[in-house]
C-alpha cells in the first residue's frame, strides 16, 4: 500500500552528509510558527526548501472554499522541487502545521548545487518520480476507494513508523499527529461529518479508540484489511 497522502521516506540527506552541508551553506534559515505561510498557489517557484524540523501541509483551494491536502512534508524532507526546476508558478500552497525550522535555497544556487553534487541530483530525480506516482494514486484512490478505505489508509500511514516494528499483541498504537477531523477530511477527499461517522464506525467495530484527542489503533491488522491490504 503506497498512500496518496505520502508522508515521506525519511531524511532526504540521509547518507549524504557532505551534500547536506553544501545545501545548508547556500540556504536561508527560517524559524516557523504554527500557521505560518511558506508560499501561496500562483507564487513564482523560485526556491526549494529543506524542512529541518516541523510539519508542513501542501494544499489547494477548491471553488467551494475547501482546502484539500495533497501532501504532508515532515522533518528531513525537501519540497518545492518541481517548480524550482521548471521555473513554474506554484500549483499549490504550503503552510506550517507545527513550529519548525526551514531552509530555503533559490533557483540559481540550487542548480549550482545539483551540478556539483551528482548523488543529490540522482536523489531529486528519484524523489520526483516517487511523488508523481503518488499523485497518480491520489486520482485512482479518490475514484475507486470509498471513504472508509481512505480513512483507514490515512490512519495506518500516520502510524507507519510505529507499525514498522509491530507492537506487542493487544498494545494500542497511538496516531502521533493530532490532526483535526477537518484536516483528515481534507486529506481523504471527504467532509468533517463523514470522517466523524467513519471514526465512530471504526470505534464500534473495535478498530480504533480514543484517548483524549488522540486516536488509537486497537487492531491494526483488521484496519489494514479495511484499507485494502
Amino acid at each position: 500500500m503506497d498512500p496518496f497522502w505520502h508522508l515521506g521516506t525519511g531524511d532526504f540527506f540521509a547518507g549524504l552528509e557532505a551534500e547536506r552541508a553544501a545545501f545548508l551553506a547556500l540556504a536561508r534559515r527560517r524559524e516557523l510558527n504554527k500557521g505560518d505561510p511558506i508560499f501561496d498557489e500562483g507564487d513564482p517557484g523560485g526556491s526549494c526548501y529543506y524542512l529541518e524540523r516541523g510539519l508542513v501541509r501542501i494544499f489547494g483551494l477548491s471553488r467551494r472554499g475547501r482546502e484539500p491536502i495533497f501532501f504532508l512534508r515532515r522533518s528531513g524532507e525537501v519540497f518545492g522541487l518541481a517548480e524550482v526546476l521548471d521555473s513554474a508558478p506554484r500549483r499549490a500552497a504550503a503552510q506550517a502545521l507545527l513550529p519548525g525550522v526551514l531552509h530555503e535555497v533559490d533557483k540559481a544556487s540550487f542548480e549550482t548545487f545539483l551540478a556539483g553534487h551528482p548523488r543529490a541530483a540522482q536523489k531529486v530525480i528519484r524523489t520526483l518520480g516517487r511523488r508523481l506516482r503518488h499523485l497518480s494514486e491520489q486520482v485512482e484512490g479518490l475514484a475507486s476507494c470509498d471513504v472508509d478505505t481512505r480513512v483507514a489508509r490515512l490512519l495506518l500511514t500516520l502510524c507507519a513508523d510505529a507499525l514498522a516494528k509491530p507492537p506487542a499483541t493487544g498494545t494500542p498504537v497511538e496516531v502521533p499527529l493530532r490532526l483535526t477531523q477537518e484536516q483528515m477530511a481534507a486529506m481523504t477527499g471527504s467532509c468533517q461529518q463523514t470522517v466523524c461517522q467513519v471514526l465512530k464506525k471504526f470505534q464500534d467495530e473495535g478498530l480504533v479508540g480514543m484517548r483524549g484527542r488522540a486516536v488509537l489503533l486497537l487492531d491494526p491488522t483488521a484496519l489494514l484489511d479495511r484499507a485494502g491490504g
Side-chain angles (χ1 to χ4, degrees):
M1 180 176 64
D2 203 4
F4 61 76
W5 41 76
H6 175 57
L7 286 170
T9 54
D11 195 317
F12 179 88
F13 289 110
L16 302 174
E17 297 308 319
E19 288 81 355
R20 184 201 308 271
F23 183 95
L24 295 180
L26 298 170
R28 179 174 68 90
R29 184 179 186 275
R30 176 181 169 188
E31 297 274 352
L32 294 175
N33 296 312
K34 181 179 179 180
D36 280 354
I38 298 169
F39 54 75
D40 291 322
E41 185 174 347
D43 283 354
S47 301
C48 66
Y49 306 86
Y50 172 68
L51 187 62
E52 177 183 329
R53 174 171 51 83
L55 183 69
V56 169
R57 67 168 180 153
I58 310 297
F59 68 101
L61 182 63
S62 73
R63 293 180 179 179
R64 296 182 179 181
R66 296 181 178 176
E67 297 181 346
I69 297 176
F70 306 131
F71 296 103
L72 291 180
R73 298 292 175 225
R74 53 182 182 176
S75 300
E77 291 202 70
V78 172
F79 61 96
L81 292 172
E83 296 91 346
V84 73
L85 292 173
D86 196 33
S87 299
R90 302 290 183 192
R91 299 298 300 273
Q95 181 188 39
L97 290 179
L98 295 174
V101 176
L102 188 71
H103 300 270
E104 178 180 357
V105 170
D106 64 64
K107 176 180 175 62
S109 297
F110 187 59
E111 291 178 343
T112 300
F113 166 76
L114 293 179
H117 298 86
R119 293 198 301 168
Q122 292 172 2
K123 187 71 173 288
V124 166
I125 293 171
R126 291 196 298 270
T127 299
L128 288 173
R130 185 175 66 247
R131 290 175 182 175
L132 180 60
R133 290 193 298 274
H134 284 302
L135 287 173
S136 297
E137 289 161 5
Q138 178 177 10
V139 175
E140 179 183 353
L142 290 172
S144 62
C145 298
D146 59 23
V147 179
D148 289 21
T149 300
R150 299 200 298 270
V151 172
R153 289 184 177 185
L154 174 59
L155 294 173
L156 289 164
T157 301
L158 294 173
C159 294
D161 291 341
L163 293 174
K165 296 181 179 179
T169 302
T171 302
V173 177
E174 183 174 331
V175 177
L177 297 179
R178 299 292 191 271
L179 296 178
T180 66
Q181 291 182 1
E182 288 83 357
Q183 289 169 334
M184 294 176 67
M187 298 175 73
T188 54
S190 182
C191 65
Q192 184 273 333
Q193 182 178 1
T194 301
V195 168
C196 181
Q197 293 170 348
V198 171
L199 291 176
K200 179 62 167 58
K201 182 192 302 184
F202 287 174
Q203 284 184 270
D204 293 342
E205 295 175 5
L207 300 178
V208 305
M210 302 297 296
R211 181 188 293 155
R213 292 182 57 194
V215 179
L216 306 176
L217 306 193
L218 303 179
D219 192 342
T221 301
L223 194 63
L224 184 61
D225 289 339
R226 294 295 294 271

